[in-house]
Amino acid sequence: AILTVSVPGFTSQPITLLLLALVALRNLQGLTMAQVPVRRDNPRARAWMTRAESSYREGEFELSARYCHMVRAEQNVAPQLIARTAALLGIMATRRGDFEEALSLLRRAPDAAEVVEATAQCFYQLHMYEALEALTRTQAFGRLPSDKRYEILFALRDITA
């Protein structure tokens, strides 16, 4: 004997009831199962970043940039690592005098003192004085050492005077 249930508006075909039961079961499973977040970690990217920072500290900027680009080529890289990579590449582009490229990278970097200093340098070299003045009013600018803040403010005062 086939079990038939009478639901108003539905035909009581066994296949329909089976499909409804499967959909309900799937929905119930989706609600009760814990959603495990995707972990964004890549040990190889972390290793490249460690090498990039070490090379940067040693003054080997080309090697550091190469390691940074290797980090950028990896998959599943933590956002903090991507931001630090942008910071290092932006600072190195500033040192090379490629200010437009540097700005595009520094905008994706955290507001560390070295990033703020490089950003100020880019604004100054690109004659973006309004942006430089706006930068001086940010909390990030306050993180710079006092001698750097004074140097930037003095240069800005000379330009706007």
Side-chain angles (χ1 to χ4, degrees):
I2 297 177
L3 176 65
T4 59
V5 177
S6 177
V7 178
F10 289 100
T11 56
S12 60
Q13 295 179 354
I15 194 79
T16 304
L17 291 175
L18 179 63
L19 288 175
L20 285 173
L22 289 174
V23 168
L25 180 63
R26 184 75 177 151
N27 286 339
L28 184 61
Q29 286 175 337
L31 290 173
T32 58
M33 293 179 63
Q35 297 291 330
V36 179
V38 175
R39 189 168 174 211
R40 294 185 76 177
D41 187 30
N42 184 325
R44 188 171 40 209
R46 275 188 281 119
W48 292 133
M49 193 65 211
T50 301
R51 291 179 182 177
E53 289 175 330
S54 175
S55 300
Y56 177 78
R57 281 191 301 275
E58 294 170 8
E60 297 179 28
F61 301 122
E62 286 184 32
L63 183 59
S64 179
R66 208 171 314 140
Y67 286 133
C68 285
H69 287 295
M70 292 168 95
V71 170
R72 291 176 75 185
E74 290 290 326
Q75 299 291 321
N76 298 321
V77 179
Q80 301 87 347
L81 226 52
I82 293 170
R84 183 63 185 146
T85 301
L88 279 180
L89 288 170
I91 292 165
M92 289 184 283
T94 302
R95 289 178 184 229
R96 279 194 325 267
D98 192 351
F99 302 113
E100 290 176 6
E101 178 187 351
L103 267 182
S104 73
L105 290 160
L106 293 169
R107 286 187 173 122
R108 293 179 258 156
D111 288 336
E114 57 190 352
V115 171
V116 174
E117 184 180 349
T119 302
Q121 178 72 21
C122 290
F123 286 156
Y124 181 81
Q125 294 297 328
L126 294 171
H127 307 287
M128 298 173 69
Y129 303 126
E130 289 177 7
L132 179 57
E133 189 172 346
L135 179 66
T136 63
R137 293 189 298 267
T138 64
Q139 285 184 332
F141 186 76
R143 294 189 197 112
L144 286 175
S146 58
D147 60 326
K148 290 292 180 187
R149 284 195 315 261
Y150 176 77
E151 183 182 331
I152 293 167
L153 290 170
F154 186 77
L156 185 60
R157 187 188 66 169
D158 284 348
I159 293 165
T160 57

